[in-house]
Structures are given as structure tokens and as C-alpha cells.
Amino acid sequence: MHMKKMLAVGFLALFVCFFPVLEARADNIAIGFVDMQKAITSTKEWKKEFATFKNDFQKEKGVISEKEKAIRVEMEELNKQGFVLSPELKRQKEEAFGKNKREFERYVQDRNDEFSKREKELADRLGKKLIKIIQTIGKEKKITMIVEQNTVFYSAVEADLTEQVIKAYDKANP
């Protein structure tokens, strides 16, 4: 924590030292921003691929629901039969149930991990393509810097390039 404070103070000191230089050149600086999350999820490519992703996810939810139902039925039967089973048979059924339950939980975790990974890969792939589009727009419009919207504390509405980036992306990636 102490190191972070020192870095922040050092950064602030550098900023104050160079502020007159920045202020003197302010009329030559053009800064824009892009809401990357919105840009990614608003592209036609994202919407198309995410519809397939969502369909696969819904199918998997159905499979998981059926497996969960089978586990519940197995547990209910074990609870009902527990009083009439011999201790050895009860132990065997409990072990089998425990094994099935752990396998189910692993299956669910694996599917969650798989879908999270697929979504992240899709977002990363589209994000890389968007960055190229953003760089092109920046060069064409002679913008000094384009930053992610999450790092902007204030900006004029005109500095938001998100919609322009989405349109350019969709045009370049039909």
C-alpha cells in the first residue's frame, strides 16, 4: 500500500511538472473514448456468435437440469430406503450417491468453465479487431489519443467514438 501511495505521489509530481507543456499544446490535442464493452456487444458479429453461444448454453442448462433431477431422485430414494437397508448396503449406496453427486458438481463446473472460456475468447477476438478499427479511426481523424470509457471521468459527448467504431467494425466485418 505504501508503494502505491509513493507511485501515485510521483505520478502526480510528474504531471504537475509537465502540466504547463500539456496546457500549451492543448489546442493541438484531440482525445476520444470508446466504451469497449458496448462496442464489442453491439457488433453484428457478436450478436450472431452470441446467439449460437446462448443456444448452446440453453441446451446445456437442460442437460444439467436433467442430471440434477436424477441426483435429487437418487437422494430421495436413499433417504426413504435408509431405514430398511442393511448398514453395509446403506454405506455402499451412500458412497455411490456421493460419487454421483461429485461427478455432477464437476460436470457443472467444467461446463461453466467451458462457457466462460468461450465467451472470453469471443470477446478477446472481437476486441483485437476493434482495436485495429479504433487505431484506423484515430489516424484518419488525427486524434491524439483514444481511451477506454471506463477510465474517463469527464468528456464532451462528441468525444465518444463508440457508435462510429461499431459502424466501422460492422462494415469491415459483414
Side-chain angles (χ1 to χ4, degrees):
M1 186 71 173
H2 182 68
M3 184 64 149
K4 285 183 181 179
K5 285 183 181 179
M6 288 180 55
L7 285 172
V9 170
F11 178 73
L12 184 61
L14 283 172
F15 181 75
V16 169
C17 290
F18 289 106
F19 184 72
V21 175
L22 291 175
E23 187 176 38
R25 294 194 52 221
D27 58 338
N28 298 332
I29 295 176
I31 298 175
F33 70 89
V34 174
D35 181 341
M36 286 297 285
Q37 182 69 30
K38 179 181 177 184
I40 288 170
T41 59
S42 297
T43 64
K44 291 177 184 175
E45 185 175 0
W46 172 271
K47 290 175 183 175
K48 180 183 172 192
E49 291 198 33
F50 195 73
T52 302
F53 174 85
K54 194 173 178 180
N55 186 41
D56 293 347
F57 184 75
Q58 290 302 327
K59 286 179 186 175
E60 191 58 47
K61 270 180 71 173
V63 170
I64 288 172
S65 181
E66 288 300 315
K67 287 179 181 262
E68 183 178 34
K69 190 176 179 181
I71 291 287
R72 230 180 295 122
V73 167
E74 186 179 356
M75 183 178 72
E76 289 170 4
E77 285 184 21
L78 182 61
N79 287 337
K80 286 178 190 175
Q81 296 173 353
F83 298 111
V84 295
L85 295 174
S86 69
E88 179 60 27
L89 190 55
K90 182 179 178 184
R91 184 188 60 75
Q92 288 174 356
K93 287 195 174 237
E94 286 173 343
E95 285 177 5
F97 171 75
K99 179 183 175 200
N100 290 341
K101 186 176 179 213
R102 283 189 303 278
E103 286 175 358
F104 169 73
E105 290 168 349
R106 264 188 249 126
Y107 180 84
V108 170
Q109 185 61 49
D110 289 348
R111 295 299 79 74
N112 284 336
D113 292 348
E114 176 187 327
F115 280 103
S116 293
K117 182 180 174 187
R118 277 180 58 190
E119 185 177 15
K120 183 183 180 327
E121 286 171 352
L122 176 60
D124 288 349
R125 184 169 40 84
L126 269 62
K128 287 176 184 174
K129 291 166 135 181
L130 270 170
I131 288 172
K132 290 179 182 176
I133 298 288
I134 292 167
Q135 291 169 341
T136 301
I137 289 172
K139 288 175 187 169
E140 288 173 358
K141 294 190 166 279
K142 297 184 177 21
I143 297 174
T144 309
M145 181 185 333
I146 300 175
V147 296
E148 197 339 285
Q149 188 238 353
N150 290 335
T151 62
V152 176
F153 296 110
Y154 168 80
S155 73
V157 175
E158 302 83 35
D160 185 354
L161 303 171
T162 306
E163 291 301 320
Q164 186 177 355
V165 168
I166 295 166
K167 288 176 186 170
Y169 182 93
D170 286 343
K171 185 177 179 182
N173 298 280

